[in-house]
Amino acid sequence: LHDVMAAAQAWFVERLASDEGAKARGYLASRGFDAHTMQRFGFGYAPEGRQALKEALKQFPEAMLVEAGLRIAVDDKEPYDRFRGRLMLPIEDARGRAIAFGGRILDSGKTDAPKYLNSPDTPLFDKGRTLYNLHRAGPASRQTGRVVVVEGYMDVIALAAAGIADAVAPLGTALTERQIEMLWRLVETPILCFDGDAAGQRAAMRAIARALPLLRPAHSLRIVRLPAGLDPDDLIKREGPQAMEAVLAGAKTLLDTLWEHERDAQPLATPEDKAGLKARLMAHVDTIADQDIKALY
């Protein structure tokens, strides 16, 4: 399966450089990604045809292409390519081998198709145990002493293009316990950086709820809220990489984030309101397994 994925990756890269890849190259140029960034992250292009990848990889049996998540087999119909007409990105394991793909749609007229499509879980790829860009961010984090977790792979690449190399992203799911443990192997307090919209706020609170039971001495999370309505790419484009660095430097502790979220969730005009706040906070505290940390919270 590693051979299948390597062959698919080489083919996608080749297609991006061909005439078919013109629209995808145009999109990359519009995002301001230079040739170095495109090559470093392995951007490619999956052409429109339903059988194009099968043709290109005919040295591998159909069953392997399906098992690798590159083709979809439904009942008795002819299998077809999963990724069609998309900008492709390899998702790599800790050793830098392609184990899955993410594809971004280029034709915005296709309203029924998801904007981003990832490989399904396969024998090589378990999305809850994989962090995008970990094999590059790990070595970078030893230089910087931090790891930044952003919402998606395009955010990781925008940060890398701006010189911030220690970023990773989960793959379309909320951060899992396993991913938090992976981050803690790199640094004691990873920084979670969520978009400044309501969905970003919900994602931050979900991550905090996941982390509370796992907290142990010296291991926690810090949380960054981007300015309302901005993602990392927007902020860098508008104000430059130093603005992003400033936001990261101002990351709040998990405790402060939790306190502010619950304090602002509802009015605190009456004793009953205040008792409600206390109850919400104590419900969070009750989930902390480490007795010392629980008492200190």
Side-chain angles (χ1 to χ4, degrees), residues 235-275:
L235 181 64
I236 290 165
K237 278 202 171 58
R238 192 181 295 186
E239 297 176 35
Q242 65 286 352
M244 188 72 209
E245 289 286 7
V247 166
L248 293 173
K252 290 198 163 131
T253 64
L254 196 151
L255 180 69
D256 284 342
T257 307
L258 195 55
W259 162 253
E260 286 171 15
H261 175 82
E262 292 298 359
R263 180 197 64 198
D264 299 342
Q266 286 168 18
L268 296 173
T270 67
E272 292 82 354
D273 292 343
K274 289 175 184 170

Side-chain angles (χ1 to χ4, degrees), residues 159-198:
L159 288 176
I164 298 171
D166 50 7
V168 298
L171 292 151
T173 58
L175 262 190
T176 63
E177 286 85 352
R178 179 64 193 253
Q179 288 168 329
I180 293 170
E181 293 288 356
M182 287 162 72
L183 293 165
W184 278 342
R185 272 187 230 144
L186 298 175
V187 298
E188 290 184 343
T189 46
I191 300 173
L192 307 192
C193 177
F194 293 103
D195 297 354
D197 56 13

